[in-house]
Amino acid sequence: MLGVHHPSGDLQKMSLGSVRGFASCSPFDSQGSTSCDDATRSSGAMFSVRWRQGTTEGGSSGSAIFAQAGGNTRYVIG
């Protein structure tokens, strides 16, 4: 997995990692926070990613996540 993002308009950042499972997240509450719980493939609406390098920073929502499968096949998955 590769994430490319511009957190809060900062310089472009890159994160590397792998999918660790699926997650189901609640909508934002009155303080603008959300929480996510582990889920199954059928009940989860999102991937849970474990970053080896970098992180997901505030202001990075909407950034694409890229994946590679089976040699040279590449996907935008999120």
Side-chain angles (χ1 to χ4, degrees), residues 41-68:
R41 183 180 191 134
S42 61
S43 67
M46 301 177 188
F47 289 111
S48 177
V49 177
R50 175 161 296 151
W51 297 118
R52 289 188 313 269
Q53 175 184 332
T55 186
T56 303
E57 298 181 37
S60 295
S61 61
S63 300
I65 294 180
F66 302 90
Q68 183 171 338

Side-chain angles (χ1 to χ4, degrees), residues 1-76:
M1 307 293 293
L2 168 71
V4 178
H5 48 105
H6 293 272
S8 298
D10 195 2
L11 296 174
Q12 184 177 21
K13 305 282 195 305
M14 181 179 80
S15 302
L16 298 171
S18 57
V19 173
R20 69 172 196 90
F22 297 90
S24 179
C25 301
S26 66
F28 289 105
D29 63 19
S30 60
Q31 276 91 37
S33 297
T34 187
S35 63
C36 298
D37 297 310
D38 289 341
T40 65
R41 183 180 191 134
S42 61
S43 67
M46 301 177 188
F47 289 111
S48 177
V49 177
R50 175 161 296 151
W51 297 118
R52 289 188 313 269
Q53 175 184 332
T55 186
T56 303
E57 298 181 37
S60 295
S61 61
S63 300
I65 294 180
F66 302 90
Q68 183 171 338
N72 294 324
T73 305
R74 296 180 178 96
Y75 300 93
V76 175

